[in-house]
mmCIF file of all heavy atoms in Angstrom:
data_model
loop_
_atom_site.group_PDB
_atom_site.id
_atom_site.type_symbol
_atom_site.label_atom_id
_atom_site.label_comp_id
_atom_site.label_asym_id
_atom_site.label_seq_id
_atom_site.Cartn_x
_atom_site.Cartn_y
_atom_site.Cartn_z
ATOM 1 N N PRO Z 266 10.992 13.057 2.779
ATOM 2 C CA PRO Z 266 11.346 12.422 4.062
ATOM 3 C C PRO Z 266 10.143 11.986 4.895
ATOM 4 O O PRO Z 266 10.166 10.916 5.498
ATOM 5 C CB PRO Z 266 12.119 13.519 4.791
ATOM 6 C CG PRO Z 266 12.560 14.457 3.729
ATOM 7 C CD PRO Z 266 11.616 14.352 2.602
ATOM 8 N N ASP Z 267 9.086 12.805 4.901
ATOM 9 C CA ASP Z 267 7.939 12.426 5.742
ATOM 10 C C ASP Z 267 7.224 11.200 5.181
ATOM 11 O O ASP Z 267 6.799 10.314 5.930
ATOM 12 C CB ASP Z 267 6.966 13.599 5.903
ATOM 13 C CG ASP Z 267 6.575 14.200 4.570
ATOM 14 O OD1 ASP Z 267 7.406 14.129 3.637
ATOM 15 O OD2 ASP Z 267 5.462 14.727 4.440
ATOM 16 N N VAL Z 268 7.148 11.145 3.850
ATOM 17 C CA VAL Z 268 6.519 9.974 3.219
ATOM 18 C C VAL Z 268 7.372 8.741 3.457
ATOM 19 O O VAL Z 268 6.866 7.649 3.712
ATOM 20 C CB VAL Z 268 6.334 10.210 1.698
ATOM 21 C CG1 VAL Z 268 5.707 8.986 1.042
ATOM 22 C CG2 VAL Z 268 5.488 11.428 1.448
ATOM 23 N N GLU Z 269 8.677 8.949 3.380
ATOM 24 C CA GLU Z 269 9.599 7.829 3.582
ATOM 25 C C GLU Z 269 9.430 7.235 4.984
ATOM 26 O O GLU Z 269 9.356 6.022 5.155
ATOM 27 C CB GLU Z 269 11.034 8.308 3.385
ATOM 28 C CG GLU Z 269 12.017 7.164 3.289
ATOM 29 C CD GLU Z 269 13.434 7.643 3.072
ATOM 30 O OE1 GLU Z 269 13.685 8.860 3.180
ATOM 31 O OE2 GLU Z 269 14.295 6.800 2.795
ATOM 32 N N ARG Z 270 9.342 8.131 5.948
ATOM 33 C CA ARG Z 270 9.178 7.676 7.327
ATOM 34 C C ARG Z 270 7.889 6.854 7.456
ATOM 35 O O ARG Z 270 7.837 5.803 8.074
ATOM 36 C CB ARG Z 270 9.135 8.886 8.267
ATOM 37 C CG ARG Z 270 9.722 8.606 9.629
ATOM 38 C CD ARG Z 270 9.730 9.864 10.473
ATOM 39 N NE ARG Z 270 10.338 10.998 9.800
ATOM 40 C CZ ARG Z 270 9.754 12.185 9.648
ATOM 41 N NH1 ARG Z 270 8.541 12.393 10.116
ATOM 42 N NH2 ARG Z 270 10.374 13.174 9.035
ATOM 43 N N GLU Z 271 6.857 7.379 6.834
ATOM 44 C CA GLU Z 271 5.547 6.716 6.878
ATOM 45 C C GLU Z 271 5.610 5.338 6.208
ATOM 46 O O GLU Z 271 5.102 4.344 6.727
ATOM 47 C CB GLU Z 271 4.544 7.620 6.145
ATOM 48 C CG GLU Z 271 3.149 7.068 6.022
ATOM 49 C CD GLU Z 271 2.304 7.344 7.246
ATOM 50 O OE1 GLU Z 271 2.667 8.238 8.025
ATOM 51 O OE2 GLU Z 271 1.290 6.642 7.400
ATOM 52 N N ALA Z 272 6.288 5.321 5.043
ATOM 53 C CA ALA Z 272 6.312 4.083 4.249
ATOM 54 C C ALA Z 272 7.213 3.021 4.864
ATOM 55 O O ALA Z 272 7.045 1.833 4.614
ATOM 56 C CB ALA Z 272 6.766 4.390 2.830
ATOM 57 N N MET Z 273 8.165 3.447 5.652
ATOM 58 C CA MET Z 273 9.112 2.492 6.223
ATOM 59 C C MET Z 273 8.631 1.914 7.543
ATOM 60 O O MET Z 273 9.344 1.164 8.196
ATOM 61 C CB MET Z 273 10.472 3.156 6.439
ATOM 62 C CG MET Z 273 11.244 3.429 5.176
ATOM 63 S SD MET Z 273 11.674 1.918 4.345
ATOM 64 C CE MET Z 273 12.663 2.529 3.005
ATOM 65 N N ARG Z 274 7.417 2.291 7.933
ATOM 66 C CA ARG Z 274 6.909 1.809 9.222
ATOM 67 C C ARG Z 274 6.753 0.296 9.216
ATOM 68 O O ARG Z 274 6.321 -0.299 8.240
ATOM 69 C CB ARG Z 274 5.564 2.452 9.533
ATOM 70 C CG ARG Z 274 5.693 3.830 10.151
ATOM 71 C CD ARG Z 274 4.349 4.440 10.370
ATOM 72 N NE ARG Z 274 3.661 3.783 11.456
ATOM 73 C CZ ARG Z 274 2.364 3.962 11.701
ATOM 74 N NH1 ARG Z 274 1.652 4.748 10.951
ATOM 75 N NH2 ARG Z 274 1.792 3.330 12.706
ATOM 76 N N VAL Z 275 7.125 -0.294 10.309
ATOM 77 C CA VAL Z 275 7.019 -1.746 10.448
ATOM 78 C C VAL Z 275 6.092 -2.040 11.615
ATOM 79 O O VAL Z 275 6.121 -1.338 12.627
ATOM 80 C CB VAL Z 275 8.412 -2.362 10.718
ATOM 81 C CG1 VAL Z 275 8.308 -3.868 10.810
ATOM 82 C CG2 VAL Z 275 9.385 -1.966 9.628
ATOM 83 N N ASP Z 276 5.263 -3.034 11.431
ATOM 84 C CA ASP Z 276 4.374 -3.431 12.507
ATOM 85 C C ASP Z 276 5.198 -4.019 13.649
ATOM 86 O O ASP Z 276 5.832 -5.057 13.489
ATOM 87 C CB ASP Z 276 3.376 -4.462 11.984
ATOM 88 C CG ASP Z 276 2.280 -4.724 12.987
ATOM 89 O OD1 ASP Z 276 2.430 -4.281 14.142
ATOM 90 O OD2 ASP Z 276 1.282 -5.349 12.623
ATOM 91 N N LYS Z 277 5.179 -3.329 14.786
ATOM 92 C CA LYS Z 277 6.056 -3.752 15.878
ATOM 93 C C LYS Z 277 5.633 -5.088 16.459
ATOM 94 O O LYS Z 277 6.441 -5.820 17.023
ATOM 95 C CB LYS Z 277 6.077 -2.686 16.969
ATOM 96 C CG LYS Z 277 7.068 -1.590 16.637
ATOM 97 C CD LYS Z 277 6.938 -0.435 17.584
ATOM 98 C CE LYS Z 277 7.655 0.768 17.003
ATOM 99 N NZ LYS Z 277 7.225 2.002 17.639
ATOM 100 N N THR Z 278 4.360 -5.399 16.331
ATOM 101 C CA THR Z 278 3.893 -6.667 16.907
ATOM 102 C C THR Z 278 4.439 -7.862 16.139
ATOM 103 O O THR Z 278 4.460 -8.973 16.638
ATOM 104 C CB THR Z 278 2.359 -6.741 16.896
ATOM 105 O OG1 THR Z 278 1.921 -6.524 15.549
ATOM 106 C CG2 THR Z 278 1.753 -5.726 17.815
ATOM 107 N N LEU Z 279 4.883 -7.589 14.879
ATOM 108 C CA LEU Z 279 5.376 -8.690 14.057
ATOM 109 C C LEU Z 279 6.866 -8.963 14.279
ATOM 110 O O LEU Z 279 7.368 -10.021 13.960
ATOM 111 C CB LEU Z 279 5.157 -8.386 12.574
ATOM 112 C CG LEU Z 279 3.702 -8.382 12.121
ATOM 113 C CD1 LEU Z 279 3.590 -7.892 10.709
ATOM 114 C CD2 LEU Z 279 3.108 -9.768 12.241
ATOM 115 N N VAL Z 280 7.560 -7.939 14.805
ATOM 116 C CA VAL Z 280 8.998 -8.111 15.022
ATOM 117 C C VAL Z 280 9.213 -8.789 16.364
ATOM 118 O O VAL Z 280 8.848 -8.252 17.417
ATOM 119 C CB VAL Z 280 9.721 -6.743 14.995
ATOM 120 C CG1 VAL Z 280 11.209 -6.942 15.188
ATOM 121 C CG2 VAL Z 280 9.446 -6.032 13.687
ATOM 122 N N LYS Z 281 9.762 -9.974 16.319
ATOM 123 C CA LYS Z 281 9.992 -10.683 17.570
ATOM 124 C C LYS Z 281 11.202 -10.083 18.267
ATOM 125 O O LYS Z 281 12.224 -9.829 17.642
ATOM 126 C CB LYS Z 281 10.270 -12.152 17.282
ATOM 127 C CG LYS Z 281 9.015 -12.963 17.116
ATOM 128 C CD LYS Z 281 9.394 -14.411 16.891
ATOM 129 C CE LYS Z 281 8.205 -15.153 16.305
ATOM 130 N NZ LYS Z 281 8.603 -16.461 15.820
ATOM 131 N N GLU Z 282 11.034 -9.889 19.540
ATOM 132 C CA GLU Z 282 12.173 -9.369 20.283
ATOM 133 C C GLU Z 282 13.165 -10.494 20.531
ATOM 134 O O GLU Z 282 12.818 -11.544 21.072
ATOM 135 C CB GLU Z 282 11.691 -8.798 21.610
ATOM 136 C CG GLU Z 282 11.426 -7.306 21.518
ATOM 137 C CD GLU Z 282 11.083 -6.731 22.865
ATOM 138 O OE1 GLU Z 282 11.754 -7.075 23.847
ATOM 139 O OE2 GLU Z 282 10.130 -5.943 22.928
ATOM 140 N N GLU Z 283 14.367 -10.260 20.130
ATOM 141 C CA GLU Z 283 15.357 -11.298 20.313
ATOM 142 C C GLU Z 283 15.803 -11.324 21.766
ATOM 143 O O GLU Z 283 16.090 -10.285 22.363
ATOM 144 C CB GLU Z 283 16.556 -11.043 19.411
ATOM 145 C CG GLU Z 283 16.330 -11.554 18.014
ATOM 146 C CD GLU Z 283 17.551 -11.409 17.153
ATOM 147 O OE1 GLU Z 283 18.660 -11.506 17.691
ATOM 148 O OE2 GLU Z 283 17.382 -11.191 15.954
ATOM 149 N N LYS Z 284 15.849 -12.523 22.310
ATOM 150 C CA LYS Z 284 16.293 -12.626 23.689
ATOM 151 C C LYS Z 284 17.803 -12.453 23.736
ATOM 152 O O LYS Z 284 18.526 -12.972 22.880
ATOM 153 C CB LYS Z 284 15.912 -13.984 24.252
ATOM 154 C CG LYS Z 284 14.508 -13.992 24.811
ATOM 155 C CD LYS Z 284 14.255 -15.266 25.562
ATOM 156 C CE LYS Z 284 12.833 -15.247 26.105
ATOM 157 N NZ LYS Z 284 12.509 -16.516 26.762
ATOM 158 N N ALA Z 285 18.240 -11.721 24.729
ATOM 159 C CA ALA Z 285 19.660 -11.452 24.832
ATOM 160 C C ALA Z 285 20.454 -12.737 25.001
ATOM 161 O O ALA Z 285 20.049 -13.646 25.736
ATOM 162 C CB ALA Z 285 19.915 -10.529 26.023
ATOM 163 N N ASN Z 286 21.539 -12.816 24.323
ATOM 164 C CA ASN Z 286 22.488 -13.928 24.458
ATOM 165 C C ASN Z 286 21.951 -15.287 24.015
ATOM 166 O O ASN Z 286 22.525 -16.305 24.326
ATOM 167 C CB ASN Z 286 22.996 -14.063 25.897
ATOM 168 C CG ASN Z 286 23.795 -12.848 26.275
ATOM 169 O OD1 ASN Z 286 24.388 -12.212 25.423
ATOM 170 N ND2 ASN Z 286 23.755 -12.498 27.534
ATOM 171 N N ALA Z 287 20.798 -15.296 23.331
ATOM 172 C CA ALA Z 287 20.290 -16.572 22.848
ATOM 173 C C ALA Z 287 20.415 -16.615 21.335
ATOM 174 O O ALA Z 287 19.995 -15.704 20.648
ATOM 175 C CB ALA Z 287 18.838 -16.748 23.257
ATOM 176 N N LEU Z 288 21.016 -17.637 20.856
ATOM 177 C CA LEU Z 288 21.198 -17.800 19.412
ATOM 178 C C LEU Z 288 20.456 -19.042 18.998
ATOM 179 O O LEU Z 288 20.620 -20.096 19.614
ATOM 180 C CB LEU Z 288 22.682 -17.996 19.106
ATOM 181 C CG LEU Z 288 23.510 -16.796 18.670
ATOM 182 C CD1 LEU Z 288 24.952 -17.222 18.566
ATOM 183 C CD2 LEU Z 288 23.015 -16.234 17.369
ATOM 184 N N SER Z 289 19.629 -18.940 17.973
ATOM 185 C CA SER Z 289 18.976 -20.153 17.520
ATOM 186 C C SER Z 289 19.738 -20.674 16.317
ATOM 187 O O SER Z 289 20.022 -19.939 15.392
ATOM 188 C CB SER Z 289 17.524 -19.878 17.161
ATOM 189 O OG SER Z 289 17.461 -19.069 16.034
ATOM 190 N N GLN Z 290 20.082 -21.916 16.383
ATOM 191 C CA GLN Z 290 20.783 -22.525 15.258
ATOM 192 C C GLN Z 290 19.867 -23.585 14.693
ATOM 193 O O GLN Z 290 19.702 -24.648 15.258
ATOM 194 C CB GLN Z 290 22.088 -23.151 15.722
ATOM 195 C CG GLN Z 290 23.110 -22.091 16.111
ATOM 196 C CD GLN Z 290 24.432 -22.705 16.470
ATOM 197 O OE1 GLN Z 290 24.513 -23.878 16.772
ATOM 198 N NE2 GLN Z 290 25.471 -21.908 16.428
ATOM 199 N N GLY Z 291 19.244 -23.248 13.582
ATOM 200 C CA GLY Z 291 18.353 -24.218 12.983
ATOM 201 C C GLY Z 291 17.024 -24.244 13.689
ATOM 202 O O GLY Z 291 16.649 -23.302 14.376
ATOM 203 N N ILE Z 292 16.315 -25.325 13.551
ATOM 204 C CA ILE Z 292 14.954 -25.400 14.049
ATOM 205 C C ILE Z 292 14.940 -25.782 15.520
ATOM 206 O O ILE Z 292 14.266 -25.189 16.330
ATOM 207 C CB ILE Z 292 14.145 -26.430 13.245
ATOM 208 C CG1 ILE Z 292 14.289 -26.132 11.764
ATOM 209 C CG2 ILE Z 292 12.675 -26.382 13.643
ATOM 210 C CD1 ILE Z 292 13.854 -27.259 10.883
ATOM 211 N N SER Z 293 15.721 -26.788 15.869
ATOM 212 C CA SER Z 293 15.591 -27.321 17.214
ATOM 213 C C SER Z 293 16.675 -26.811 18.162
ATOM 214 O O SER Z 293 16.472 -26.753 19.363
ATOM 215 C CB SER Z 293 15.640 -28.847 17.164
ATOM 216 O OG SER Z 293 16.834 -29.246 16.517
ATOM 217 N N ASP Z 294 17.810 -26.422 17.609
ATOM 218 C CA ASP Z 294 18.911 -26.051 18.494
ATOM 219 C C ASP Z 294 18.786 -24.615 18.968
ATOM 220 O O ASP Z 294 18.443 -23.739 18.211
ATOM 221 C CB ASP Z 294 20.254 -26.208 17.771
ATOM 222 C CG ASP Z 294 20.448 -27.628 17.278
ATOM 223 O OD1 ASP Z 294 19.808 -28.519 17.864
ATOM 224 O OD2 ASP Z 294 21.210 -27.821 16.323
ATOM 225 N N LYS Z 295 19.068 -24.401 20.218
ATOM 226 C CA LYS Z 295 19.091 -23.062 20.762
ATOM 227 C C LYS Z 295 20.304 -22.970 21.672
ATOM 228 O O LYS Z 295 20.458 -23.771 22.590
ATOM 229 C CB LYS Z 295 17.817 -22.802 21.536
ATOM 230 C CG LYS Z 295 17.519 -21.333 21.686
ATOM 231 C CD LYS Z 295 16.141 -21.142 22.262
ATOM 232 C CE LYS Z 295 15.712 -19.708 22.158
ATOM 233 N NZ LYS Z 295 14.389 -19.501 22.753
ATOM 234 N N VAL Z 296 21.141 -22.008 21.383
ATOM 235 C CA VAL Z 296 22.362 -21.898 22.164
ATOM 236 C C VAL Z 296 22.285 -20.631 22.997
ATOM 237 O O VAL Z 296 22.000 -19.557 22.497
ATOM 238 C CB VAL Z 296 23.597 -21.843 21.234
ATOM 239 C CG1 VAL Z 296 24.862 -21.728 22.056
ATOM 240 C CG2 VAL Z 296 23.648 -23.070 20.353
ATOM 241 N N GLY Z 297 22.555 -20.761 24.274
ATOM 242 C CA GLY Z 297 22.503 -19.610 25.141
ATOM 243 C C GLY Z 297 23.877 -19.268 25.689
ATOM 244 O O GLY Z 297 24.780 -20.116 25.744
ATOM 245 N N LYS Z 298 24.049 -17.990 26.011
ATOM 246 C CA LYS Z 298 25.316 -17.580 26.604
ATOM 247 C C LYS Z 298 25.014 -17.168 28.041
ATOM 248 O O LYS Z 298 24.055 -16.434 28.284
ATOM 249 C CB LYS Z 298 25.843 -16.359 25.832
ATOM 250 C CG LYS Z 298 27.256 -16.529 25.294
ATOM 251 C CD LYS Z 298 27.798 -15.182 24.896
ATOM 252 C CE LYS Z 298 27.967 -15.027 23.417
ATOM 253 N NZ LYS Z 298 28.331 -13.681 23.021
ATOM 254 N N ILE Z 299 25.761 -17.615 28.966
ATOM 255 C CA ILE Z 299 25.510 -17.258 30.358
ATOM 256 C C ILE Z 299 26.708 -16.492 30.899
ATOM 257 O O ILE Z 299 27.860 -16.850 30.618
ATOM 258 C CB ILE Z 299 25.282 -18.524 31.222
ATOM 259 C CG1 ILE Z 299 24.108 -19.309 30.666
ATOM 260 C CG2 ILE Z 299 25.047 -18.155 32.669
ATOM 261 C CD1 ILE Z 299 23.978 -20.693 31.245
ATOM 262 N N TYR Z 300 26.425 -15.440 31.620
ATOM 263 C CA TYR Z 300 27.516 -14.669 32.198
ATOM 264 C C TYR Z 300 27.888 -15.250 33.561
ATOM 265 O O TYR Z 300 27.037 -15.447 34.431
ATOM 266 C CB TYR Z 300 27.131 -13.206 32.357
ATOM 267 C CG TYR Z 300 28.230 -12.376 32.922
ATOM 268 C CD1 TYR Z 300 29.313 -12.008 32.116
ATOM 269 C CD2 TYR Z 300 28.220 -11.970 34.250
ATOM 270 C CE1 TYR Z 300 30.338 -11.265 32.631
ATOM 271 C CE2 TYR Z 300 29.246 -11.220 34.762
ATOM 272 C CZ TYR Z 300 30.310 -10.865 33.956
ATOM 273 O OH TYR Z 300 31.337 -10.126 34.461
ATOM 274 N N VAL Z 301 29.133 -15.547 33.715
ATOM 275 C CA VAL Z 301 29.600 -16.099 34.989
ATOM 276 C C VAL Z 301 30.651 -15.144 35.556
ATOM 277 O O VAL Z 301 31.537 -14.678 34.831
ATOM 278 C CB VAL Z 301 30.235 -17.491 34.784
ATOM 279 C CG1 VAL Z 301 30.658 -18.079 36.119
ATOM 280 C CG2 VAL Z 301 29.257 -18.415 34.094
ATOM 281 N N HIS Z 302 30.501 -14.836 36.835
ATOM 282 C CA HIS Z 302 31.476 -13.943 37.468
ATOM 283 C C HIS Z 302 32.881 -14.533 37.437
ATOM 284 O O HIS Z 302 33.044 -15.740 37.300
ATOM 285 C CB HIS Z 302 31.075 -13.699 38.928
ATOM 286 C CG HIS Z 302 29.944 -12.737 39.030
ATOM 287 N ND1 HIS Z 302 30.121 -11.378 38.899
ATOM 288 C CD2 HIS Z 302 28.632 -12.942 39.207
ATOM 289 C CE1 HIS Z 302 28.957 -10.789 39.022
ATOM 290 N NE2 HIS Z 302 28.025 -11.707 39.190
ATOM 291 N N LYS Z 303 33.847 -13.657 37.581
ATOM 292 C CA LYS Z 303 35.228 -14.131 37.595
ATOM 293 C C LYS Z 303 35.462 -15.073 38.757
ATOM 294 O O LYS Z 303 34.989 -14.825 39.870
ATOM 295 C CB LYS Z 303 36.178 -12.924 37.715
ATOM 296 C CG LYS Z 303 36.585 -12.385 36.370
ATOM 297 C CD LYS Z 303 37.657 -11.341 36.564
ATOM 298 C CE LYS Z 303 38.078 -10.772 35.229
ATOM 299 N NZ LYS Z 303 39.013 -9.667 35.386
ATOM 300 N N GLN Z 304 36.134 -16.112 38.491
ATOM 301 C CA GLN Z 304 36.311 -17.154 39.505
ATOM 302 C C GLN Z 304 37.636 -16.999 40.261
ATOM 303 O O GLN Z 304 38.068 -17.922 40.923
ATOM 304 C CB GLN Z 304 36.280 -18.519 38.833
ATOM 305 C CG GLN Z 304 34.996 -18.799 38.064
ATOM 306 C CD GLN Z 304 33.847 -19.199 38.960
ATOM 307 O OE1 GLN Z 304 33.984 -20.122 39.751
ATOM 308 N NE2 GLN Z 304 32.728 -18.494 38.857
ATOM 309 N N THR Z 305 38.253 -15.846 40.132
ATOM 310 C CA THR Z 305 39.612 -15.720 40.676
ATOM 311 C C THR Z 305 39.650 -15.036 42.033
ATOM 312 O O THR Z 305 40.707 -14.689 42.519
ATOM 313 C CB THR Z 305 40.490 -14.921 39.715
ATOM 314 O OG1 THR Z 305 39.812 -13.716 39.426
ATOM 315 C CG2 THR Z 305 40.753 -15.682 38.462
ATOM 316 N N GLU Z 306 38.466 -14.808 42.646
ATOM 317 C CA GLU Z 306 38.442 -14.036 43.883
ATOM 318 C C GLU Z 306 39.319 -14.649 44.971
ATOM 319 O O GLU Z 306 40.074 -13.968 45.643
ATOM 320 C CB GLU Z 306 37.003 -13.908 44.381
ATOM 321 C CG GLU Z 306 36.267 -12.799 43.659
ATOM 322 C CD GLU Z 306 34.788 -12.989 43.693
ATOM 323 O OE1 GLU Z 306 34.280 -13.531 44.682
ATOM 324 O OE2 GLU Z 306 34.139 -12.613 42.708
#
Side-chain angles (χ1 to χ4, degrees):
Chain Z
D267 52 331
V268 179
E269 192 179 10
R270 212 176 309 127
E271 177 85 18
M273 288 296 184
R274 277 177 72 193
V275 182
D276 190 348
K277 277 171 195 162
T278 55
L279 291 172
V280 181
K281 276 182 197 168
E282 266 186 44
E283 277 185 32
K284 274 190 180 176
N286 295 332
L288 263 174
S289 68
Q290 290 184 341
I292 308 165
S293 56
D294 302 337
K295 202 171 192 182
V296 180
K298 234 195 249 173
I299 302 168
Y300 181 76
V301 183
H302 284 282
K303 270 188 180 174
Q304 302 281 307
T305 52
E306 279 157 32

